[in-house]
Amino acid sequence: MCGIVGYIGKQDASPIIIDGLRKLEYRGYDSAGICTLNGGEPQIRRAEGKLINLENILKQQPAEGSRGIGHTRWATHGRPSEINAHPHKASGIVVVHNGIIENYLKLKERLQGLGHNFSSETDTEIIAHLVEEHYRQCGDFEAAVRQALGEVEGAYAVAILCEQEPDKLIAAKLGSPLVIGQGVGEYFVASDIPAMLSHTREMIFLEDGEMVVFTPQWMRITDLAGNSLVKQSKTITWSPMMAEKGVYRHFMLKEIFEQPRALADTIAGRLKSDEGDIHLEDLDFTDEQLQQLDKIFIIACGTSWHAGLVGKFYIEKLARIPVEIDIASEFRYRDPIVGENSLTVLISQSGETADTLAGLREAKGKGGKTLCVCNVVDSSIARESDGVIYTHAGPEIGVASTKAFTTQLVALYLLALKLGRARGQLSADDCRACVEDLVALPRKLEESLELNDQIEAIARDFMNARDFLYLGRGNQYPIALEGALKLKEISYIHAEGYPAGEMKHGPIALIDENLPVVVVVPRNATFDKVVSNMEEVRARGGQVIAVVSGEEPELAGKTDALIQVPETNDDLMPILTSVPMQLLAYHIAVLKGTDVDQPRNLAKSVTVE
Ligand code: G6P
């Protein structure tokens, strides 16, 4: 969490940094700050709250200079306030930081003993003082940063300026993401790609333990010992427009409506229709290795974990391999039994989630194979996994995940088909039929989006409820969980997802005329069972919002609202039933006037434990 941006070149740094921070606000929005250098004293401006507050300060007191660093904060150490906002300064050293310094109390005590005074409650301020202490002794900015970083424990992505050496900007990374953008006669550095997309598409992804010294003319990448490293840049295919809201009121709505395109891009080039097989370009395992697998673990957090729950159904059904699924923060501490023939699948939109990354390292450390389903090219999880299936959703900016989720489901389905074919569990003909369903899916999702107006009307009817219950069975149970998560994330209404058959063991006690119950009930093997559960809700006065597939005349008069998505095969149905979940949460949140794209207390990329 937290986003950092740095710039060094000939242009005015301040607007470039503010524009970059705007693209990173999804990472945190408790406070924002900037520092520019103009050959004189560092110009620091900071403000509590969202970036707009900082922008207003900059209108009154511009910060000039062609070098600069900026920060948008998700508070860990110290409450959200101006005093705790980055950048932090110690004499001429100014720092922005994303991560957590774990030994900060020990370092703080030592520095206080040496006469340093601290003005914030943050761990970050330690870095500024530590660099300053070393700088005072060695008189070399680069050496001072290297020595200071050698002493800190924890995670960091930092960008640092030095008043006495204004032609240098130094950045380094350990555990938190950092990307370099290469311009002509200028350099950018940021926590994520969209912050730099409107200036360059040539990017270099830093690894842990790497440090960069930038001047306007050159840059040098080294390890912390000072050894030079040669790294190739990558050309990013995302366009700057993909990180803009365009005609949409919110990023979330834009991203919901982008799903047909995102699904089509995730499928493109991966279907071998003639052979009845799947091609996954970065899978990096031979069919023989796939045949030897005896177990699959799926590890993820949040919405990605919900995708994993659906993925378990896909893999067990189509490839007949047992799948264990874990929330990443649980997996890493439970000493899982990972063998060399196990495959651990990490699912992560950002590819930077700290717990998921730790789960990956845990599985690797135990000698297992790893594969990730990831949206961000060359992110930490993508780089460290043995194989990758990229979801081609494009940048997802809204904090509540939408298109990343449905593309994850597609990627997991492709993986299950591939495994099924490689292991002889699925015939070419059966695979071909699934491929046909996949090809038709983007069009069906487009049809589901036509429900937008109907769902907005339903949202009006139910927006004042205090609690919601979401029910589903089988592969629709994760969709019930995801529907409840979406609603609570952005509307702050309490919501629970439950397996429909389990309702009678507890949640049924909650049901009365004030409780809307969203029942996901497409036509499949458990349809009648779920309809019975629906009846149990109605018998107790609960209000039923049913999500069905195709026409269901027998449900006429049995629901308070009926939402009908198009039909597809049962495995792909969760992708279509996700759409009403997203739109219902979105419209309720808009009607309640919450901050849809940046809901309180949340961040999109959670790089702390
Ligand atoms: C945060 C976000 C969620 C996301 C989760 C996992 O909690 O708010 O939307 O699902 O992190 O993120 P990842 O990038 O690993 O998918």
Side-chain angles (χ1 to χ4, degrees):
M1 3 256 295
C2 299
I4 68 174
V5 183
Y7 173 79
I8 186 161
K10 294 191 202 74
Q11 303 186 60
D12 198 7
S14 175
I16 293 173
I17 290 169
I18 294 295
D19 181 56
L21 290 178
R22 196 170 298 120
K23 308 283 164 40
L24 296 183
E25 246 194 322
Y26 72 84
R27 301 178 69 86
Y29 28 83
D30 290 333
S31 64
I34 186 169
C35 171
T36 56
L37 268 188
N38 203 11
E41 225 186 282
Q43 301 291 303
I44 296 181
R45 312 281 182 266
R46 308 187 298 185
E48 187 182 335
K50 293 203 166 190
L51 190 61
I52 186 78
N53 300 347
L54 176 65
E55 291 180 74
N56 289 336
I57 289 178
L58 283 167
K59 277 184 202 145
Q60 310 296 322
Q61 301 166 263
E64 280 159 9
S66 53
R67 295 99 176 84
I69 54 180
H71 187 269
T72 177
R73 179 167 187 247
W74 187 83
T76 56
H77 292 63
R79 75 209 135 84
S81 66
E82 197 207 321
I83 273 296
N84 289 329
H86 301 211
H88 290 286
K89 179 170 176 286
S91 295
I93 304 292
V94 189
V95 177
V96 290
H97 165 225
N98 164 212
I100 290 181
I101 304 304
E102 285 162 4
N103 59 340
Y104 86 106
L105 284 175
K106 215 168 88 194
L107 291 170
K108 189 170 186 176
E109 246 169 58
R110 198 184 94 208
L111 289 162
Q112 279 169 331
L114 292 168
H116 289 259
N117 291 318
F118 291 84
S119 50
S120 76
E121 302 159 315
T122 66
D123 52 340
T124 304
E125 199 183 348
I126 306 297
I127 306 176
H129 283 270
L130 203 54
V131 175
E132 200 263 329
E133 180 62 31
H134 285 292
Y135 187 65
R136 203 149 16 106
Q137 286 166 25
C138 70
D140 177 344
F141 180 30
E142 199 177 324
V145 172
R146 195 162 276 129
Q147 286 163 19
L149 293 181
E151 288 184 69
V152 299
E153 288 164 18
Y156 59 75
V158 285
I160 312 178
L161 291 171
C162 173
E163 182 180 346
Q164 291 80 0
E165 298 189 30
D167 278 337
K168 276 187 185 156
L169 163 65
I170 299 184
K173 148 181 169 62
L174 186 77
S176 303
L178 203 57
V179 189
I180 296 171
Q182 287 183 289
V184 180
E186 59 185 359
Y187 292 99
F188 309 82
V189 65
S191 304
D192 198 1
I193 300 164
M196 304 177 284
L197 265 185
S198 45
H199 306 284
T200 177
R201 291 202 205 171
E202 286 304 305
M203 309 219 179
I204 297 177
F205 297 86
L206 284 186
E207 307 273 350
D208 283 351
E210 292 180 350
M211 178 173 138
V212 207
V213 180
F214 300 98
T215 73
Q217 295 79 31
W218 52 262
M219 71 165 182
R220 185 171 63 243
I221 305 178
T222 64
D223 59 20
L224 278 190
N227 302 307
S228 290
L229 303 168
V230 180
K231 291 181 74 89
Q232 292 300 318
S233 68
K234 298 219 166 162
T235 309
I236 302 300
T237 53
W238 293 357
S239 80
M241 275 311 290
M242 287 168 114
E244 302 290 343
K245 249 186 277 188
V247 295
Y248 291 93
R249 186 165 165 200
H250 296 102
F251 276 112
M252 184 180 175
L253 190 64
K254 175 182 177 234
E255 288 158 6
I256 291 172
F257 275 81
E258 277 174 347
Q259 289 179 108
R261 196 265 318 139
L263 295 189
D265 286 353
T266 303
I267 296 164
R270 288 170 164 172
L271 309 180
K272 297 204 262 182
S273 303
D274 294 347
E275 294 162 49
D277 208 344
I278 299 296
H279 166 71
L280 294 170
E281 59 285 3
D282 295 317
L283 188 63
D284 270 359
F285 296 115
T286 60
D287 278 4
E288 205 178 7
Q289 284 174 312
L290 298 180
Q291 282 153 17
Q292 282 162 0
L293 295 177
D294 54 18
K295 190 175 200 178
I296 290 186
F297 293 91
I298 298 182
I299 314 291
C301 303
T303 289
S304 297
W305 178 68
H306 294 158
L309 290 171
V310 180
K312 175 179 160 77
F313 280 92
Y314 291 168
I315 294 169
E316 290 191 338
K317 176 174 168 187
L318 298 166
R320 305 304 295 162
I321 312 176
V323 178
E324 265 188 49
I325 167 145
D326 274 71
I327 287 178
S329 54
E330 294 294 319
F331 178 80
R332 59 183 297 198
Y333 293 115
R334 77 165 168 95
D335 195 13
I337 304 165
V338 177
E340 60 173 338
N341 286 330
S342 69
L343 173 70
T344 300
V345 179
L346 299 308
I347 309 174
S348 176
Q349 186 284 130
S350 63
E352 301 294 347
T353 302
D355 287 319
T356 312
L357 186 57
L360 161 66
R361 289 175 181 162
E362 175 77 16
K364 265 191 130 172
K366 286 179 180 272
K369 298 178 179 59
T370 56
L371 167 72
C372 73
V373 171
C374 190
N375 193 38
V376 178
V377 174
D378 260 6
S379 53
S380 302
I381 292 173
R383 272 180 285 128
E384 289 190 30
S385 299
D386 298 324
V388 188
I389 305 176
Y390 281 116
T391 50
H392 295 296
E396 192 181 64
I397 313 277
V399 166
S401 186
T402 53
K403 62 176 180 172
F405 177 67
T406 47
T407 53
Q408 284 167 348
L409 296 187
V410 165
L412 289 163
Y413 190 65
L414 291 170
L415 173 64
L417 292 174
K418 172 79 196 164
L419 287 168
R421 289 295 291 132
R423 295 168 67 88
Q425 294 289 340
L426 193 69
S427 71
D429 279 348
D430 287 345
C431 184
R432 225 171 271 130
C434 299
V435 161
E436 275 170 29
D437 292 336
L438 267 176
V439 170
L441 195 65
R443 175 77 203 107
K444 293 190 174 178
L445 200 138
E446 210 162 291
E447 278 173 44
S448 311
L449 292 169
E450 289 166 16
L451 294 165
N452 190 34
D453 290 346
Q454 185 204 352
I455 294 177
E456 186 179 3
I458 296 172
R460 269 180 214 286
D461 292 342
F462 293 94
M463 63 175 278
N464 292 318
R466 210 188 55 181
D467 308 280
F468 269 73
L469 184 62
Y470 285 71
L471 300 176
R473 270 185 191 237
N475 63 14
Q476 296 295 342
Y477 162 52
I479 303 308
L481 289 175
E482 177 60 8
L485 179 68
K486 286 283 88 76
L487 187 72
K488 66 187 140 195
E489 277 181 318
I490 59 171
S491 75
Y492 315 143
I493 295 175
H494 167 249
E496 275 189 62
Y498 239 81
E502 185 69 6
M503 179 185 67
K504 54 189 172 288
H505 297 293
I508 200 162
L510 301 173
I511 294 173
D512 62 16
E513 57 285 0
N514 298 317
L515 186 77
V517 183
V518 179
V519 187
V520 196
V521 55
R523 185 54 78 154
N524 61 20
T526 57
F527 178 82
D528 293 335
K529 307 272 174 214
V530 186
V531 171
S532 303
N533 301 135
M534 224 168 80
E535 293 291 2
E536 289 156 15
V537 172
R538 275 166 40 82
R540 287 155 184 86
Q543 297 169 289
V544 172
I545 302 166
V547 177
V548 299
S549 55
E551 287 179 18
E552 291 296 357
E554 74 180 82
L555 295 187
K558 293 189 177 175
T559 64
D560 297 274
L562 191 69
I563 300 169
Q564 186 190 322
V565 299
E567 287 169 288
T568 177
N569 83 39
D570 187 43
D571 294 333
L572 296 177
M573 191 52 84
I575 297 173
L576 298 184
T577 52
S578 296
V579 176
M581 305 293 125
Q582 300 165 347
L583 288 171
L584 185 64
Y586 173 78
H587 286 298
I588 291 180
V590 170
L591 289 165
K592 290 183 86 75
T594 59
D595 192 340
V596 171
D597 283 335
Q598 294 171 351
R600 70 184 179 205
N601 304 340
L602 294 175
K604 187 148 190 75
S605 177
V606 182
T607 53
V608 294
E609 258 198 70

